[in-house]
Amino acid sequence: MASRAGSSGASGSVTRFDAQVYATRLRRAAELARVEGLDALLITPGPDLQYLVGSRAQSFERLTCLVIPADGSTASIVVPRLELAGLGESAISELGLNVRDWVDGVNPYRLVTDALPSPARTAVADAMPALHLVPLADQLGAPPILATSVLRELRMIKDIAEIDALRRAGAAIDRVHARMGEFLKVGRTEAEVGAAIGAAIVEEGHTGAEFIIVGSGPHGADPHHEVSDRVIETGDIVVIDIGGPVEPGYNSDSTRTYSMGEPPTEVAERYAVLQRAQEQAVAAARPGVSAESIDNAARSVLVDAGLGEAFVHRTGHGIGISVHEEPYIVAGNTMALVPGMAFSIEPGIYFPGSWGARIEDIVVVTEDGCEPMNTRPHGLTVLPG
Ligand code: ZN
Ligand code: ZN
Ligand code: ZN
Protein backbone atom coordinates (compact mmCIF):
# COMPACT_ATOMS: atom_id res chain seq x y z
CA MET A 1 0.00 0.00 0.00
CA ALA A 2 2.91 2.32 0.72
CA SER A 3 3.67 2.32 -3.01
CA ARG A 4 0.59 4.49 -3.49
CA ALA A 5 1.78 7.15 -1.04
CA GLY A 6 1.41 10.63 -2.45
CA SER A 7 3.76 12.28 0.00
CA SER A 8 6.96 10.92 -1.47
CA GLY A 9 7.48 13.91 -3.72
CA ALA A 10 7.54 11.60 -6.74
CA SER A 11 5.24 12.40 -9.62
CA GLY A 12 4.43 10.11 -12.51
CA SER A 13 2.08 7.21 -12.02
CA VAL A 14 0.87 8.08 -8.50
CA THR A 15 -2.74 8.85 -9.36
CA ARG A 16 -4.15 8.79 -5.87
CA PHE A 17 -3.26 8.66 -2.18
CA ASP A 18 -3.25 5.61 0.13
CA ALA A 19 -6.67 4.09 0.76
CA GLN A 20 -6.28 5.15 4.40
CA VAL A 21 -6.46 8.82 3.34
CA TYR A 22 -9.85 8.22 1.70
CA ALA A 23 -11.13 6.16 4.64
CA THR A 24 -10.49 9.17 6.87
CA ARG A 25 -12.14 11.58 4.41
CA LEU A 26 -15.26 9.37 4.14
CA ARG A 27 -15.51 9.11 7.93
CA ARG A 28 -15.20 12.88 8.35
CA ALA A 29 -17.70 13.55 5.57
CA ALA A 30 -20.23 11.30 7.34
CA GLU A 31 -19.56 13.09 10.66
CA LEU A 32 -20.07 16.52 9.10
CA ALA A 33 -23.23 15.33 7.33
CA ARG A 34 -24.58 14.16 10.69
CA VAL A 35 -23.80 17.55 12.24
CA GLU A 36 -25.79 19.15 9.39
CA GLY A 37 -28.78 16.94 10.18
CA LEU A 38 -28.47 14.92 6.98
CA ASP A 39 -29.08 11.20 6.40
CA ALA A 40 -26.64 10.84 3.51
CA LEU A 41 -24.37 12.50 0.98
CA LEU A 42 -24.93 11.57 -2.67
CA ILE A 43 -21.82 12.16 -4.77
CA THR A 44 -21.74 11.79 -8.56
CA PRO A 45 -18.48 11.95 -10.60
CA GLY A 46 -16.50 15.17 -10.31
CA PRO A 47 -13.99 16.76 -7.94
CA ASP A 48 -15.89 15.65 -4.81
CA LEU A 49 -15.82 11.99 -5.90
CA GLN A 50 -12.12 12.32 -6.68
CA TYR A 51 -11.55 13.84 -3.25
CA LEU A 52 -13.52 11.19 -1.38
CA VAL A 53 -12.47 7.93 -3.10
CA GLY A 54 -9.76 8.83 -5.63
CA SER A 55 -11.97 8.17 -8.66
CA ARG A 56 -11.78 10.25 -11.83
CA ALA A 57 -14.91 8.67 -13.28
CA GLN A 58 -16.87 10.91 -15.66
CA SER A 59 -20.57 11.68 -15.53
CA PHE A 60 -22.62 9.98 -18.24
CA GLU A 61 -26.32 9.45 -18.82
CA ARG A 62 -26.09 6.27 -16.72
CA LEU A 63 -25.93 7.08 -13.01
CA THR A 64 -22.77 6.57 -10.97
CA CYS A 65 -23.32 7.74 -7.38
CA LEU A 66 -21.45 7.34 -4.11
CA VAL A 67 -23.87 7.07 -1.17
CA ILE A 68 -22.32 8.05 2.17
CA PRO A 69 -24.69 7.32 5.07
CA ALA A 70 -24.39 9.90 7.83
CA ASP A 71 -24.69 7.17 10.49
CA GLY A 72 -21.17 6.02 9.66
CA SER A 73 -22.21 2.71 8.12
CA THR A 74 -20.37 1.49 5.03
CA ALA A 75 -20.74 3.70 1.97
CA SER A 76 -22.09 2.28 -1.30
CA ILE A 77 -21.30 3.02 -4.90
CA VAL A 78 -24.11 2.72 -7.41
CA VAL A 79 -22.45 2.14 -10.77
CA PRO A 80 -23.42 0.88 -14.23
CA ARG A 81 -21.87 -2.58 -14.68
CA LEU A 82 -20.10 -1.40 -17.84
CA GLU A 83 -18.35 1.37 -15.85
CA LEU A 84 -17.15 -0.95 -13.07
CA ALA A 85 -13.70 -1.50 -14.57
CA GLY A 86 -13.19 2.26 -14.69
CA LEU A 87 -13.34 2.41 -10.89
CA GLY A 88 -10.32 0.11 -10.66
CA GLU A 89 -7.89 3.01 -10.19
CA SER A 90 -9.88 4.38 -7.26
CA ALA A 91 -9.65 3.29 -3.63
CA ILE A 92 -13.15 1.81 -3.74
CA SER A 93 -12.21 -1.89 -3.56
CA GLU A 94 -9.53 -1.33 -0.90
CA LEU A 95 -12.07 0.62 1.13
CA GLY A 96 -14.51 -2.29 1.02
CA LEU A 97 -17.44 -0.16 -0.15
CA ASN A 98 -20.71 -1.86 -1.11
CA VAL A 99 -20.77 -2.01 -4.89
CA ARG A 100 -24.31 -1.86 -6.28
CA ASP A 101 -23.75 -2.33 -9.98
CA TRP A 102 -26.72 -2.16 -12.29
CA VAL A 103 -27.60 -3.07 -15.85
CA ASP A 104 -29.77 -1.23 -18.37
CA GLY A 105 -33.44 -1.60 -17.51
CA VAL A 106 -32.88 -1.22 -13.76
CA ASN A 107 -33.91 2.07 -12.08
CA PRO A 108 -30.59 3.21 -10.56
CA TYR A 109 -32.30 5.95 -8.51
CA ARG A 110 -34.15 3.18 -6.64
CA LEU A 111 -30.78 1.63 -5.82
CA VAL A 112 -29.80 4.91 -4.17
CA THR A 113 -33.00 5.35 -2.17
CA ASP A 114 -33.17 1.65 -1.17
CA ALA A 115 -30.14 2.32 1.01
CA LEU A 116 -31.81 5.27 2.79
CA PRO A 117 -34.72 6.00 5.13
CA SER A 118 -37.77 7.59 3.51
CA PRO A 119 -38.03 10.51 3.24
CA ALA A 120 -34.30 10.99 3.49
CA ARG A 121 -32.55 14.29 4.13
CA THR A 122 -29.73 14.26 1.60
CA ALA A 123 -27.11 16.56 0.11
CA VAL A 124 -25.80 16.17 -3.43
CA ALA A 125 -22.46 17.05 -5.04
CA ASP A 126 -22.71 20.37 -6.86
CA ALA A 127 -21.33 18.66 -9.99
CA MET A 128 -24.42 16.39 -10.17
CA PRO A 129 -26.02 16.87 -13.61
CA ALA A 130 -29.67 17.93 -13.70
CA LEU A 131 -30.17 14.76 -15.76
CA HIS A 132 -29.65 12.80 -12.52
CA LEU A 133 -30.69 15.34 -9.92
CA VAL A 134 -34.29 15.64 -11.11
CA PRO A 135 -35.16 11.89 -11.18
CA LEU A 136 -33.23 11.39 -7.95
CA ALA A 137 -35.13 14.17 -6.18
CA ASP A 138 -38.37 12.56 -7.42
CA GLN A 139 -37.36 9.21 -5.98
CA LEU A 140 -36.14 10.67 -2.68
CA GLY A 141 -39.45 12.18 -1.63
CA ALA A 142 -37.63 15.20 -0.16
CA PRO A 143 -35.56 17.71 -2.11
CA PRO A 144 -31.81 17.40 -1.58
CA ILE A 145 -29.59 20.32 -0.62
CA LEU A 146 -26.06 21.01 -1.90
CA ALA A 147 -23.24 19.08 -0.25
CA THR A 148 -20.92 22.04 -0.84
CA SER A 149 -21.33 23.24 2.73
CA VAL A 150 -20.23 19.87 4.08
CA LEU A 151 -17.45 19.12 1.63
CA ARG A 152 -15.87 22.56 1.60
CA GLU A 153 -15.03 22.08 5.30
CA LEU A 154 -12.95 19.10 4.25
CA ARG A 155 -11.59 20.12 0.87
CA MET A 156 -10.64 23.64 1.95
CA ILE A 157 -8.06 22.48 4.48
CA LYS A 158 -5.25 20.56 2.85
CA ASP A 159 -3.29 17.80 4.57
CA ILE A 160 0.48 17.31 4.29
CA ALA A 161 0.26 15.12 1.17
CA GLU A 162 -2.03 17.63 -0.58
CA ILE A 163 0.29 20.53 0.32
CA ASP A 164 3.18 18.50 -1.06
CA ALA A 165 1.26 18.09 -4.32
CA LEU A 166 0.53 21.85 -4.46
CA ARG A 167 4.21 22.55 -3.81
CA ARG A 168 5.22 20.29 -6.71
CA ALA A 169 2.60 21.96 -8.91
CA GLY A 170 3.89 25.41 -7.95
CA ALA A 171 7.50 24.46 -8.66
CA ALA A 172 6.48 23.00 -12.03
CA ILE A 173 4.65 26.14 -13.18
CA ASP A 174 7.51 28.31 -11.88
CA ARG A 175 9.83 26.37 -14.21
CA VAL A 176 7.55 27.24 -17.12
CA HIS A 177 7.61 30.96 -16.22
CA ALA A 178 11.42 30.73 -15.87
CA ARG A 179 11.56 29.64 -19.52
CA MET A 180 9.16 32.34 -20.79
CA GLY A 181 11.83 33.99 -22.95
CA GLU A 182 11.87 30.82 -25.10
CA PHE A 183 8.15 31.15 -25.90
CA LEU A 184 7.16 34.79 -25.70
CA LYS A 185 8.72 36.67 -28.61
CA VAL A 186 7.87 39.69 -30.70
CA GLY A 187 6.36 38.56 -34.02
CA ARG A 188 4.62 35.47 -32.67
CA THR A 189 0.87 35.31 -32.19
CA GLU A 190 -0.63 34.79 -28.74
CA ALA A 191 -1.85 31.39 -29.97
CA GLU A 192 1.66 30.34 -31.01
CA VAL A 193 3.05 31.47 -27.66
CA GLY A 194 0.22 29.61 -25.92
CA ALA A 195 0.92 26.38 -27.80
CA ALA A 196 4.61 26.51 -26.83
CA ILE A 197 3.68 27.20 -23.21
CA GLY A 198 1.22 24.27 -23.28
CA ALA A 199 3.98 21.88 -24.32
CA ALA A 200 6.28 23.25 -21.60
CA ILE A 201 3.56 22.84 -18.96
CA VAL A 202 3.61 19.09 -19.70
CA GLU A 203 7.43 18.93 -20.04
CA GLU A 204 7.80 20.45 -16.59
CA GLY A 205 5.69 17.78 -14.88
CA HIS A 206 1.99 18.57 -15.27
CA THR A 207 -0.36 15.97 -16.73
CA GLY A 208 -1.83 18.68 -18.97
CA ALA A 209 -2.52 22.39 -19.29
CA GLU A 210 -5.79 23.42 -17.62
CA PHE A 211 -5.74 27.02 -18.88
CA ILE A 212 -3.39 29.31 -20.80
CA ILE A 213 -3.90 33.06 -20.87
CA VAL A 214 -1.61 35.10 -23.09
CA GLY A 215 -3.04 38.62 -22.84
CA SER A 216 -0.88 40.95 -24.93
CA GLY A 217 -1.29 44.72 -25.18
CA PRO A 218 -5.00 45.64 -24.95
CA HIS A 219 -5.92 41.96 -24.40
CA GLY A 220 -4.11 42.15 -21.07
CA ALA A 221 -6.94 44.40 -19.88
CA ASP A 222 -9.37 41.44 -20.14
CA PRO A 223 -8.72 39.30 -17.05
CA HIS A 224 -10.13 36.11 -18.62
CA HIS A 225 -8.79 36.53 -22.15
CA GLU A 226 -7.29 33.25 -23.41
CA VAL A 227 -5.24 33.45 -26.63
CA SER A 228 -5.88 34.99 -30.05
CA ASP A 229 -4.20 35.58 -33.40
CA ARG A 230 -2.90 38.96 -32.23
CA VAL A 231 0.82 39.29 -32.99
CA ILE A 232 3.07 40.28 -30.07
CA GLU A 233 4.59 43.70 -30.73
CA THR A 234 7.51 45.66 -29.35
CA GLY A 235 6.32 47.61 -26.31
CA ASP A 236 3.55 45.16 -25.41
CA ILE A 237 2.81 44.39 -21.78
CA VAL A 238 1.82 40.70 -21.69
CA VAL A 239 -0.12 38.93 -18.93
CA ILE A 240 0.69 35.20 -18.76
CA ASP A 241 -1.64 33.22 -16.45
CA ILE A 242 -1.10 29.46 -16.64
CA GLY A 243 -1.67 26.24 -14.75
CA GLY A 244 -2.61 22.62 -14.75
CA PRO A 245 -2.68 19.52 -12.56
CA VAL A 246 0.18 17.38 -11.28
CA GLU A 247 -0.51 13.90 -9.90
CA PRO A 248 -2.51 13.06 -7.93
CA GLY A 249 -4.62 15.81 -9.49
CA TYR A 250 -3.67 19.07 -7.73
CA ASN A 251 -3.45 22.28 -9.74
CA SER A 252 -0.95 25.06 -10.26
CA ASP A 253 -2.05 28.59 -11.15
CA SER A 254 0.44 31.42 -11.51
CA THR A 255 0.51 34.76 -13.29
CA ARG A 256 3.47 36.89 -14.20
CA THR A 257 3.50 39.96 -16.42
CA TYR A 258 6.13 40.59 -19.08
CA SER A 259 7.23 43.67 -21.01
CA MET A 260 8.50 43.38 -24.60
CA GLY A 261 11.29 45.89 -24.20
CA GLU A 262 11.68 48.50 -21.46
CA PRO A 263 8.25 49.66 -20.21
CA PRO A 264 7.19 53.33 -20.26
CA THR A 265 7.53 55.12 -16.92
CA GLU A 266 3.77 55.22 -16.28
CA VAL A 267 3.51 51.44 -16.72
CA ALA A 268 6.51 50.83 -14.45
CA GLU A 269 5.06 53.12 -11.77
CA ARG A 270 1.62 51.53 -11.81
CA TYR A 271 3.14 48.06 -11.87
CA ALA A 272 5.21 48.91 -8.79
CA VAL A 273 1.98 49.74 -6.93
CA LEU A 274 0.46 46.41 -8.02
CA GLN A 275 3.55 44.58 -6.80
CA ARG A 276 3.26 46.30 -3.42
CA ALA A 277 -0.43 45.34 -3.25
CA GLN A 278 0.37 41.69 -3.92
CA GLU A 279 3.18 41.72 -1.32
CA GLN A 280 0.91 43.30 1.29
CA ALA A 281 -1.74 40.64 0.79
CA VAL A 282 0.81 37.81 1.09
CA ALA A 283 2.20 39.45 4.24
CA ALA A 284 -1.32 39.65 5.72
CA ALA A 285 -2.16 35.95 5.24
CA ARG A 286 -2.01 34.04 8.52
CA PRO A 287 -4.33 32.01 10.75
CA GLY A 288 -7.20 33.87 12.40
CA VAL A 289 -7.55 36.74 9.95
CA SER A 290 -10.55 36.84 7.64
CA ALA A 291 -10.49 35.99 3.95
CA GLU A 292 -11.84 39.45 3.18
CA SER A 293 -9.00 41.12 5.08
CA ILE A 294 -6.56 39.65 2.54
CA ASP A 295 -8.62 41.15 -0.27
CA ASN A 296 -8.59 44.46 1.56
CA ALA A 297 -4.82 44.33 2.13
CA ALA A 298 -4.25 44.25 -1.62
CA ARG A 299 -7.12 46.56 -2.56
CA SER A 300 -6.27 49.34 -0.11
CA VAL A 301 -2.79 49.75 -1.61
CA LEU A 302 -4.32 50.19 -5.07
CA VAL A 303 -7.11 52.46 -3.83
CA ASP A 304 -4.62 54.70 -1.99
CA ALA A 305 -2.65 55.08 -5.24
CA GLY A 306 -5.79 55.98 -7.19
CA LEU A 307 -5.89 52.59 -8.94
CA GLY A 308 -8.90 51.11 -7.11
CA GLU A 309 -11.11 51.36 -10.21
CA ALA A 310 -8.58 49.36 -12.22
CA PHE A 311 -8.79 46.33 -9.89
CA VAL A 312 -12.02 44.78 -11.11
CA HIS A 313 -12.05 41.32 -9.48
CA ARG A 314 -11.63 39.57 -6.15
CA THR A 315 -8.10 38.99 -4.85
CA GLY A 316 -8.14 35.21 -4.98
CA HIS A 317 -9.71 31.77 -4.90
CA GLY A 318 -8.99 28.48 -3.17
CA ILE A 319 -7.24 25.80 -5.21
CA GLY A 320 -6.70 22.05 -5.03
CA ILE A 321 -8.43 19.40 -7.11
CA SER A 322 -10.40 22.27 -8.63
CA VAL A 323 -8.66 25.38 -9.95
CA HIS A 324 -11.36 27.53 -8.32
CA GLU A 325 -12.75 26.33 -4.98
CA GLU A 326 -13.24 27.58 -1.43
CA PRO A 327 -12.07 29.76 0.22
CA TYR A 328 -12.74 32.81 -1.94
CA ILE A 329 -10.63 35.84 -1.05
CA VAL A 330 -13.31 38.42 -1.53
CA ALA A 331 -15.02 41.30 0.31
CA GLY A 332 -17.85 39.88 2.42
CA ASN A 333 -16.14 36.56 3.16
CA THR A 334 -15.58 36.78 6.91
CA MET A 335 -14.35 33.17 7.18
CA ALA A 336 -11.23 32.98 9.35
CA LEU A 337 -8.14 31.49 7.72
CA VAL A 338 -6.74 28.29 9.24
CA PRO A 339 -3.50 26.40 8.57
CA GLY A 340 -3.75 24.22 5.47
CA MET A 341 -5.97 26.55 3.46
CA ALA A 342 -4.57 27.06 -0.05
CA PHE A 343 -5.55 29.98 -2.26
CA SER A 344 -4.33 32.43 -4.86
CA ILE A 345 -3.34 36.03 -4.21
CA GLU A 346 -3.74 37.69 -7.59
CA PRO A 347 -4.48 41.39 -7.69
CA GLY A 348 -4.51 42.93 -11.16
CA ILE A 349 -4.88 46.32 -12.80
CA TYR A 350 -6.70 46.71 -16.11
CA PHE A 351 -6.85 49.68 -18.47
CA PRO A 352 -9.38 48.82 -21.21
CA GLY A 353 -8.08 49.29 -24.73
CA SER A 354 -4.56 49.77 -23.47
CA TRP A 355 -2.89 47.25 -21.15
CA GLY A 356 -3.22 45.20 -17.99
CA ALA A 357 -1.06 43.46 -15.40
CA ARG A 358 -1.58 40.79 -12.77
CA ILE A 359 0.67 39.02 -10.27
CA GLU A 360 -0.51 35.68 -8.90
CA ASP A 361 0.96 33.28 -6.39
CA ILE A 362 -0.66 30.33 -4.62
CA VAL A 363 -0.07 30.40 -0.86
CA VAL A 364 -0.78 27.84 1.86
CA VAL A 365 -1.61 29.12 5.34
CA THR A 366 0.92 27.89 7.94
CA GLU A 367 0.92 28.10 11.76
CA ASP A 368 2.24 31.67 11.73
CA GLY A 369 1.85 33.05 8.22
CA CYS A 370 1.77 31.54 4.79
CA GLU A 371 4.06 29.61 2.47
CA PRO A 372 4.09 30.74 -1.17
CA MET A 373 3.99 27.85 -3.64
CA ASN A 374 5.38 30.20 -6.33
CA THR A 375 8.71 31.91 -5.95
CA ARG A 376 9.48 33.49 -9.33
CA PRO A 377 10.50 37.18 -9.12
CA HIS A 378 7.40 39.40 -8.95
CA GLY A 379 8.68 42.38 -10.91
CA LEU A 380 7.70 43.21 -14.48
CA THR A 381 10.02 40.89 -16.44
CA VAL A 382 11.57 42.65 -19.42
CA LEU A 383 12.04 40.44 -22.50
CA PRO A 384 13.73 41.51 -25.75
CA GLY A 385 11.61 44.06 -27.63
ZN1 ZN B 1 -10.02 33.68 -12.80
ZN1 ZN C 1 -4.43 32.35 -12.66
ZN1 ZN D 1 -6.11 32.10 -10.14
Side-chain angles (χ1 to χ4, degrees):
M1 262 197 251
S3 63
R4 288 280 194 182
S7 55
S8 62
S11 56
S13 62
V14 182
T15 59
R16 66 167 169 87
F17 299 118
D18 273 342
Q20 198 48 49
V21 169
Y22 300 102
T24 303
R25 290 176 182 178
L26 285 172
R27 192 176 63 245
R28 296 200 52 217
E31 280 166 16
L32 288 167
R34 198 157 57 238
V35 169
E36 297 276 323
L38 296 165
D39 294 311
L41 300 175
L42 307 178
I43 310 295
T44 43
D48 291 334
L49 191 70
Q50 186 178 342
Y51 179 80
L52 290 165
V53 295
S55 166
R56 297 183 196 184
Q58 306 266 315
S59 253
F60 298 110
E61 77 281 13
R62 295 183 177 93
L63 179 73
T64 294
C65 185
L66 176 68
V67 181
I68 306 173
D71 65 8
S73 58
T74 306
S76 304
I77 182 99
V78 172
V79 57
R81 192 163 297 162
L82 76 168
E83 302 291 348
L84 254 182
L87 295 180
E89 280 294 288
S90 76
I92 285 169
S93 63
E94 277 182 72
L95 290 166
L97 301 194
N98 300 317
V99 177
R100 302 179 192 278
D101 56 321
W102 61 279
V103 294
D104 292 344
V106 169
N107 176 355
Y109 308 103
R110 277 288 304 263
L111 294 181
V112 172
T113 57
D114 281 354
L116 303 172
S118 179
R121 291 156 302 174
T122 58
V124 299
D126 55 8
M128 183 179 285
L131 174 73
H132 296 310
L133 175 61
V134 172
L136 190 59
D138 252 14
Q139 192 78 45
L140 282 165
I145 63 166
L146 285 175
T148 326
S149 62
V150 171
L151 289 170
R152 76 169 181 200
E153 299 294 315
L154 295 177
R155 286 182 51 189
M156 206 161 53
I157 298 165
K158 272 67 182 179
D159 66 23
I160 288 168
E162 291 179 291
I163 293 168
D164 173 69
L166 288 169
R167 218 179 260 132
R168 284 187 286 110
I173 208 67
D174 280 2
R175 290 194 295 273
V176 178
H177 274 295
R179 293 174 54 193
M180 199 53 64
E182 291 175 39
F183 321 126
L184 180 55
K185 291 180 173 160
V186 167
R188 287 190 175 177
T189 66
E190 290 178 354
E192 287 165 350
V193 173
I197 291 172
I201 285 174
V202 174
E203 284 162 22
E204 297 298 346
H206 297 83
T207 53
E210 189 71 20
F211 55 91
I212 298 172
I213 295 175
V214 180
S216 67
H219 290 168
D222 170 7
H224 273 177
H225 175 76
E226 292 181 350
V227 296
S228 76
D229 289 336
R230 185 181 182 280
V231 176
I232 311 292
E233 296 169 10
T234 298
D236 277 353
I237 304 301
V238 187
V239 177
I240 306 278
D241 185 351
I242 49 180
V246 302
E247 295 293 9
Y250 286 74
N251 283 285
S252 63
D253 181 4
S254 176
T255 310
R256 290 294 183 268
T257 302
Y258 298 85
S259 178
M260 309 313 290
E262 286 299 328
T265 309
E266 188 199 49
V267 169
E269 284 174 359
R270 289 178 170 186
Y271 188 92
V273 177
L274 176 66
Q275 190 176 341
R276 212 163 63 240
Q278 205 267 349
E279 276 166 16
Q280 289 299 309
V282 172
R286 71 183 101 85
V289 305
S290 66
E292 69 175 355
S293 73
I294 307 305
D295 181 81
N296 188 54
R299 200 167 302 277
S300 58
V301 172
L302 290 161
V303 167
D304 290 350
L307 292 172
E309 294 289 306
F311 181 19
V312 295
H313 55 71
R314 66 188 174 214
T315 292
H317 53 83
I319 190 165
I321 292 174
S322 302
V323 177
H324 287 186
E325 58 182 50
E326 303 265 5
Y328 291 99
I329 308 303
V330 60
N333 185 0
T334 57
M335 181 190 291
L337 301 184
V338 298
M341 283 182 174
F343 51 84
S344 69
I345 294 182
E346 52 176 308
I349 46 175
Y350 308 96
F351 307 98
S354 184
W355 64 284
R358 181 163 64 254
I359 305 169
E360 175 180 27
D361 291 333
I362 303 303
V363 301
V364 175
V365 179
T366 60
E367 292 302 324
D368 56 0
C370 73
E371 177 190 341
M373 303 288 102
N374 304 103
T375 56
R376 292 289 305 157
H378 295 84
L380 186 57
T381 302
V382 178
L383 293 177

